[in-house]
Amino acid sequence: MSRIKRVAVTATAKALIHHLQEKHGPLMFHQSGGCCDGSAPMCYPMGDFMVSHQDVKLGNIEGCPFYMGVKQYEYWQHTQLILDVAPGPGGSDFSLEGPQGERFITRSRLFSNAERQVLQQELAEANP
């Protein structure tokens, strides 16, 4: 198992996730390149969003799977996504954090050359 995380989470986002878990139970995240909220991460009760072969699981954050649409992944695969929180409502009524007056956002950082090599090797081993 890789020690390099494709998706990470800030302390502020952790606190909001824990609050939402207490209120709604198990959660999941999905980030698409879709229309309504652009490429904002959306938080759903587990199973309320149907993932497909067009989605890539980037990992788990605080026990929640985090998926990204394959088209977005192609663009962002060279970066680590960092889930964070910003004040104000998001552009969608579907994401659970909206009524809290906050919204999840993603920040990113480029993987180093060494990290990219490890991730490429892991991908090759997983798909011989």
Side-chain angles (χ1 to χ4, degrees):
M1 174 182 278
S2 179
R3 293 172 60 169
I4 301 169
K5 295 180 180 180
R6 290 193 176 274
V7 63
V9 62
T10 66
T12 305
K14 281 183 186 182
L16 182 54
I17 290 169
H18 292 169
H19 172 76
L20 293 171
Q21 286 170 323
E22 288 175 10
K23 191 172 183 177
H24 300 282
L27 306 174
M28 64 183 294
F29 287 86
H30 187 272
Q31 183 167 330
S32 70
C35 62
C36 300
D37 206 15
S39 61
M42 304 290 281
C43 179
Y44 301 99
M46 184 71 79
D48 272 16
F49 182 88
M50 300 302 289
V51 294
S52 74
H53 68 282
Q54 292 293 314
D55 297 304
V56 177
K57 184 178 180 185
L58 299 181
N60 290 298
I61 51 173
E62 300 304 296
C64 308
F66 191 105
Y67 297 90
M68 177 176 273
V70 71
K71 294 285 187 192
Q72 282 290 98
Y73 176 72
E74 289 171 4
Y75 183 76
W76 290 101
Q77 65 185 321
H78 61 285
T79 66
Q80 179 184 56
L81 296 181
I82 303 161
L83 188 68
D84 201 357
V85 176
S92 173
D93 294 331
F94 299 110
S95 195
L96 292 176
E97 80 282 2
Q100 306 299 129
E102 299 174 295
R103 67 186 184 278
F104 286 111
I105 60 171
T106 49
R107 302 182 189 286
S108 63
R109 72 164 184 88
L110 290 173
F111 285 125
S112 69
N113 288 336
E115 288 172 318
R116 280 197 302 272
Q117 288 176 341
V118 168
L119 291 167
Q120 288 172 349
Q121 179 64 35
E122 289 174 352
L123 181 62
E125 290 171 0
N127 300 289

